Amino acid sequence: MSLAPLPLQIARVLLLKGRPYLGSAAWAMQPVERPGLGTLGVDKFWRLYYDPAVFTQWKPEQLAGVLYHEIGHLLRSHAGRAEAIGAVDNSELVGVSAIWNEAADAPINCDLEAEHIALPGEYITPAKLGMPEGLLAE
């Protein structure tokens, strides 16, 4: 098990202060450094890929929000569901197609907006995809 960088540890603690029920998921992810990724990402093996550059670009609360977002992918079993419908792309870091990832991002981000969770920059929502709220990625 590798030790997470300090900003990631701080983000975990910030997230868990308000949502302690996410503790098992937040600490189960194994951090893997991926310079140039530009964000965080997870795969079906609960590896958390991170670009260390985001630690200087995002506020700690935003990093915690993105961490919450990635936990959302894991808890909703998005990788397994992508495999079930053939939305996989092994050339992608996390193994799912870009279209599937956006479709999966939208309901997560919609839920995070409803909780007033800080996220950095622009992000996908159902409205930005021209879709109504309340739908699944499929």
Side-chain angles (χ1 to χ4, degrees):
M1 181 167 94
S2 61
L3 184 64
L6 185 59
L8 192 53
Q9 292 181 48
I10 291 169
R12 284 174 170 164
V13 171
L14 285 174
L15 176 59
L16 299 180
K17 278 180 67 177
R19 290 159 184 81
Y21 49 86
L22 295 174
S24 294
W27 293 103
M29 295 182 293
Q30 295 301 307
V32 178
E33 185 174 324
R34 283 288 189 267
L37 182 61
T39 190
L40 304 182
V42 292
D43 67 15
K44 67 181 179 180
F45 303 108
W46 286 64
R47 289 180 290 225
L48 174 67
Y49 300 97
Y50 68 91
D51 183 346
V54 301
F55 299 155
T56 60
Q57 298 167 0
W58 298 343
K59 297 176 182 176
E61 295 80 12
Q62 292 172 317
L63 185 56
V66 176
L67 186 62
Y68 192 5
H69 171 98
E70 297 305 328
I71 290 171
H73 282 296
L74 295 168
L75 296 181
R76 296 170 193 220
S77 191
H78 280 159
R81 289 165 51 195
E83 288 177 354
I85 65 168
V88 295
D89 182 350
N90 291 326
S91 67
E92 295 287 327
L93 178 67
V94 296
V96 298
S97 73
I99 291 172
W100 170 263
N101 193 52
E102 284 191 2
D105 281 349
I108 293 173
N109 292 336
C110 186
D111 291 346
L112 297 181
E113 277 186 339
E115 289 188 51
H116 306 287
I117 300 297
L119 294 171
E122 293 290 318
Y123 50 87
I124 300 294
T125 62
K128 289 179 185 171
L129 296 176
M131 303 296 290
E133 293 182 10
L135 299 178
L136 300 175
E138 288 85 351

